[in-house]
Amino acid sequence: MLVLRMFIALPIYIAILILSLKKTGIRTVLTTSTLGLTFIAGFLGYYLASLLDLMGLELITAQLERLTLFSYPLLVSLIGVIFLKEQLGMRLIFALGACYLGLTLVMLQEELLLGSQVGQGVTLVLFSALAFAIYLSMSKPLIGRLGSVLFTSLAMSISSLLVFSHGFVTLELVDLNITSVALFWLALLAVFSTVIPSFMISAAIGRIGAVQASAVGMLGPVFTIALAVYILDEPFTLRIGIGALLVLIGVGSLQFKRWYRRSW
């Protein structure tokens, strides 16, 4: 699914990349160091993170996957503390405690329902969240140099080529039998769940920074849980509800204080 999704998305990214380079000029912005950092960002953000996320989703429910992945704003803050010498305040400690307590509650509930594979699935998604958090932390200065459109189209083109390389080595692509209905849904995923969000996230990072941009999407897990229960018939218990609420409170506390300060 990942290979086909990126196969459909790549021509769009290449077209936008060509248009962006015509406006800015290749020699002006694409230095060796910038290209190297953009390659690393593309590898982490939309190749490795997507691959680990989908591998984890094979083992756990969509609810737990989305809640686990939603911890990446906290990881962005931790990266700032470890590498950028930002202060480790009580707000971040509270956010980490609430978020991972909530994840533990949901994970324990799913282990009762699905078995021991849940721990492996959560680990894969946590590493996906870490890869995406590093990508977000790297992307802010790169967006400042290249602009959000050029950076995104270049990084996503790199990611697509890495996905193709992975698929070429591991998959028997000649044996694939894709129905027209599957192609339709893949096209929707490529455009509305890949291309458009990738440009919007980069534009948001360029304007408000990685931590705030990553903390804004609090409705994502809520929508995912509702759709997973309604469409996929996934179980929803009181423990899952409490765990999800704790995750939302933990991540939301990072954003709330910034909003409160701006309001006053």
Side-chain angles (χ1 to χ4, degrees), residues 172-186:
E172 295 293 337
L173 297 178
V174 293
D175 295 333
L176 289 177
N177 183 19
I178 308 299
T179 66
S180 57
V181 175
L183 280 175
F184 171 75
W185 285 109
L186 283 166

PDB file of all heavy atoms in Angstrom, residues 172-186:
ATOM      1  N   GLU A 172       7.274  -8.701  -4.579  1.00  0.00           N
ATOM      2  CA  GLU A 172       7.114  -9.239  -5.934  1.00  0.00           C
ATOM      3  C   GLU A 172       6.022  -8.421  -6.618  1.00  0.00           C
ATOM      4  O   GLU A 172       4.854  -8.796  -6.671  1.00  0.00           O
ATOM      5  CB  GLU A 172       6.727 -10.715  -5.869  1.00  0.00           C
ATOM      6  CG  GLU A 172       7.789 -11.623  -5.286  1.00  0.00           C
ATOM      7  CD  GLU A 172       9.017 -11.724  -6.186  1.00  0.00           C
ATOM      8  OE1 GLU A 172       8.885 -11.473  -7.411  1.00  0.00           O
ATOM      9  OE2 GLU A 172      10.095 -12.065  -5.679  1.00  0.00           O
ATOM     10  N   LEU A 173       6.411  -7.268  -7.157  1.00  0.00           N
ATOM     11  CA  LEU A 173       5.426  -6.329  -7.681  1.00  0.00           C
ATOM     12  C   LEU A 173       4.669  -6.881  -8.881  1.00  0.00           C
ATOM     13  O   LEU A 173       3.525  -6.486  -9.139  1.00  0.00           O
ATOM     14  CB  LEU A 173       6.120  -5.015  -8.058  1.00  0.00           C
ATOM     15  CG  LEU A 173       6.779  -4.267  -6.890  1.00  0.00           C
ATOM     16  CD1 LEU A 173       7.470  -3.008  -7.402  1.00  0.00           C
ATOM     17  CD2 LEU A 173       5.749  -3.896  -5.837  1.00  0.00           C
ATOM     18  N   VAL A 174       5.279  -7.808  -9.633  1.00  0.00           N
ATOM     19  CA  VAL A 174       4.599  -8.355 -10.825  1.00  0.00           C
ATOM     20  C   VAL A 174       3.398  -9.204 -10.430  1.00  0.00           C
ATOM     21  O   VAL A 174       2.512  -9.439 -11.262  1.00  0.00           O
ATOM     22  CB  VAL A 174       5.577  -9.194 -11.671  1.00  0.00           C
ATOM     23  CG1 VAL A 174       6.644  -8.305 -12.285  1.00  0.00           C
ATOM     24  CG2 VAL A 174       6.206 -10.314 -10.846  1.00  0.00           C
ATOM     25  N   ASP A 175       3.360  -9.665  -9.193  1.00  0.00           N
ATOM     26  CA  ASP A 175       2.260 -10.518  -8.751  1.00  0.00           C
ATOM     27  C   ASP A 175       1.085  -9.723  -8.194  1.00  0.00           C
ATOM     28  O   ASP A 175       0.068 -10.306  -7.799  1.00  0.00           O
ATOM     29  CB  ASP A 175       2.756 -11.500  -7.671  1.00  0.00           C
ATOM     30  CG  ASP A 175       3.776 -12.482  -8.236  1.00  0.00           C
ATOM     31  OD1 ASP A 175       3.712 -12.742  -9.455  1.00  0.00           O
ATOM     32  OD2 ASP A 175       4.627 -12.959  -7.462  1.00  0.00           O
ATOM     33  N   LEU A 176       1.215  -8.403  -8.128  1.00  0.00           N
ATOM     34  CA  LEU A 176       0.144  -7.601  -7.554  1.00  0.00           C
ATOM     35  C   LEU A 176      -1.079  -7.588  -8.462  1.00  0.00           C
ATOM     36  O   LEU A 176      -0.965  -7.455  -9.679  1.00  0.00           O
ATOM     37  CB  LEU A 176       0.620  -6.160  -7.330  1.00  0.00           C
ATOM     38  CG  LEU A 176       1.633  -5.941  -6.210  1.00  0.00           C
ATOM     39  CD1 LEU A 176       2.054  -4.482  -6.159  1.00  0.00           C
ATOM     40  CD2 LEU A 176       1.057  -6.361  -4.871  1.00  0.00           C
ATOM     41  N   ASN A 177      -2.242  -7.738  -7.857  1.00  0.00           N
ATOM     42  CA  ASN A 177      -3.504  -7.668  -8.588  1.00  0.00           C
ATOM     43  C   ASN A 177      -4.354  -6.588  -7.930  1.00  0.00           C
ATOM     44  O   ASN A 177      -5.017  -6.828  -6.921  1.00  0.00           O
ATOM     45  CB  ASN A 177      -4.214  -9.021  -8.549  1.00  0.00           C
ATOM     46  CG  ASN A 177      -5.503  -9.016  -9.349  1.00  0.00           C
ATOM     47  OD1 ASN A 177      -5.709  -8.158 -10.200  1.00  0.00           O
ATOM     48  ND2 ASN A 177      -6.374  -9.968  -9.057  1.00  0.00           N
ATOM     49  N   ILE A 178      -4.316  -5.390  -8.492  1.00  0.00           N
ATOM     50  CA  ILE A 178      -4.985  -4.247  -7.892  1.00  0.00           C
ATOM     51  C   ILE A 178      -6.301  -3.990  -8.600  1.00  0.00           C
ATOM     52  O   ILE A 178      -6.335  -3.785  -9.825  1.00  0.00           O
ATOM     53  CB  ILE A 178      -4.105  -2.982  -7.974  1.00  0.00           C
ATOM     54  CG1 ILE A 178      -2.712  -3.273  -7.419  1.00  0.00           C
ATOM     55  CG2 ILE A 178      -4.748  -1.832  -7.216  1.00  0.00           C
ATOM     56  CD1 ILE A 178      -2.707  -3.697  -5.980  1.00  0.00           C
ATOM     57  N   THR A 179      -7.400  -4.005  -7.862  1.00  0.00           N
ATOM     58  CA  THR A 179      -8.714  -3.738  -8.447  1.00  0.00           C
ATOM     59  C   THR A 179      -8.894  -2.240  -8.661  1.00  0.00           C
ATOM     60  O   THR A 179      -8.166  -1.412  -8.096  1.00  0.00           O
ATOM     61  CB  THR A 179      -9.826  -4.259  -7.527  1.00  0.00           C
ATOM     62  OG1 THR A 179      -9.813  -3.498  -6.304  1.00  0.00           O
ATOM     63  CG2 THR A 179      -9.627  -5.730  -7.210  1.00  0.00           C
ATOM     64  N   SER A 180      -9.880  -1.887  -9.461  1.00  0.00           N
ATOM     65  CA  SER A 180     -10.166  -0.473  -9.716  1.00  0.00           C
ATOM     66  C   SER A 180     -10.627   0.240  -8.449  1.00  0.00           C
ATOM     67  O   SER A 180     -10.328   1.421  -8.246  1.00  0.00           O
ATOM     68  CB  SER A 180     -11.236  -0.342 -10.806  1.00  0.00           C
ATOM     69  OG  SER A 180     -12.422  -1.041 -10.433  1.00  0.00           O
ATOM     70  N   VAL A 181     -11.346  -0.481  -7.586  1.00  0.00           N
ATOM     71  CA  VAL A 181     -11.787   0.117  -6.321  1.00  0.00           C
ATOM     72  C   VAL A 181     -10.582   0.423  -5.425  1.00  0.00           C
ATOM     73  O   VAL A 181     -10.494   1.493  -4.813  1.00  0.00           O
ATOM     74  CB  VAL A 181     -12.768  -0.830  -5.594  1.00  0.00           C
ATOM     75  CG1 VAL A 181     -13.126  -0.272  -4.221  1.00  0.00           C
ATOM     76  CG2 VAL A 181     -14.020  -1.025  -6.426  1.00  0.00           C
ATOM     77  N   ALA A 182      -9.634  -0.519  -5.376  1.00  0.00           N
ATOM     78  CA  ALA A 182      -8.431  -0.298  -4.577  1.00  0.00           C
ATOM     79  C   ALA A 182      -7.623   0.878  -5.105  1.00  0.00           C
ATOM     80  O   ALA A 182      -7.108   1.694  -4.337  1.00  0.00           O
ATOM     81  CB  ALA A 182      -7.580  -1.568  -4.563  1.00  0.00           C
ATOM     82  N   LEU A 183      -7.511   0.996  -6.426  1.00  0.00           N
ATOM     83  CA  LEU A 183      -6.797   2.123  -7.024  1.00  0.00           C
ATOM     84  C   LEU A 183      -7.469   3.443  -6.691  1.00  0.00           C
ATOM     85  O   LEU A 183      -6.802   4.455  -6.469  1.00  0.00           O
ATOM     86  CB  LEU A 183      -6.708   1.939  -8.538  1.00  0.00           C
ATOM     87  CG  LEU A 183      -5.628   0.985  -9.036  1.00  0.00           C
ATOM     88  CD1 LEU A 183      -5.741   0.804 -10.544  1.00  0.00           C
ATOM     89  CD2 LEU A 183      -4.231   1.482  -8.665  1.00  0.00           C
ATOM     90  N   PHE A 184      -8.793   3.444  -6.670  1.00  0.00           N
ATOM     91  CA  PHE A 184      -9.530   4.655  -6.309  1.00  0.00           C
ATOM     92  C   PHE A 184      -9.185   5.102  -4.896  1.00  0.00           C
ATOM     93  O   PHE A 184      -8.882   6.277  -4.644  1.00  0.00           O
ATOM     94  CB  PHE A 184     -11.034   4.402  -6.445  1.00  0.00           C
ATOM     95  CG  PHE A 184     -11.889   5.514  -5.900  1.00  0.00           C
ATOM     96  CD1 PHE A 184     -12.034   6.698  -6.598  1.00  0.00           C
ATOM     97  CD2 PHE A 184     -12.534   5.356  -4.683  1.00  0.00           C
ATOM     98  CE1 PHE A 184     -12.826   7.723  -6.088  1.00  0.00           C
ATOM     99  CE2 PHE A 184     -13.323   6.377  -4.161  1.00  0.00           C
ATOM    100  CZ  PHE A 184     -13.477   7.557  -4.869  1.00  0.00           C
ATOM    101  N   TRP A 185      -9.212   4.157  -3.952  1.00  0.00           N
ATOM    102  CA  TRP A 185      -8.899   4.501  -2.562  1.00  0.00           C
ATOM    103  C   TRP A 185      -7.430   4.889  -2.402  1.00  0.00           C
ATOM    104  O   TRP A 185      -7.087   5.780  -1.624  1.00  0.00           O
ATOM    105  CB  TRP A 185      -9.242   3.330  -1.639  1.00  0.00           C
ATOM    106  CG  TRP A 185     -10.713   3.195  -1.417  1.00  0.00           C
ATOM    107  CD1 TRP A 185     -11.536   2.218  -1.901  1.00  0.00           C
ATOM    108  CD2 TRP A 185     -11.555   4.082  -0.680  1.00  0.00           C
ATOM    109  NE1 TRP A 185     -12.839   2.441  -1.522  1.00  0.00           N
ATOM    110  CE2 TRP A 185     -12.876   3.583  -0.753  1.00  0.00           C
ATOM    111  CE3 TRP A 185     -11.322   5.256   0.037  1.00  0.00           C
ATOM    112  CZ2 TRP A 185     -13.959   4.213  -0.141  1.00  0.00           C
ATOM    113  CZ3 TRP A 185     -12.406   5.894   0.657  1.00  0.00           C
ATOM    114  CH2 TRP A 185     -13.699   5.365   0.563  1.00  0.00           C
ATOM    115  N   LEU A 186      -6.552   4.231  -3.135  1.00  0.00           N
ATOM    116  CA  LEU A 186      -5.136   4.597  -3.099  1.00  0.00           C
ATOM    117  C   LEU A 186      -4.914   6.009  -3.622  1.00  0.00           C
ATOM    118  O   LEU A 186      -4.091   6.762  -3.088  1.00  0.00           O
ATOM    119  CB  LEU A 186      -4.307   3.597  -3.909  1.00  0.00           C
ATOM    120  CG  LEU A 186      -4.028   2.253  -3.238  1.00  0.00           C
ATOM    121  CD1 LEU A 186      -3.505   1.254  -4.255  1.00  0.00           C
ATOM    122  CD2 LEU A 186      -3.035   2.423  -2.097  1.00  0.00           C
TER     123      LEU A 186
END
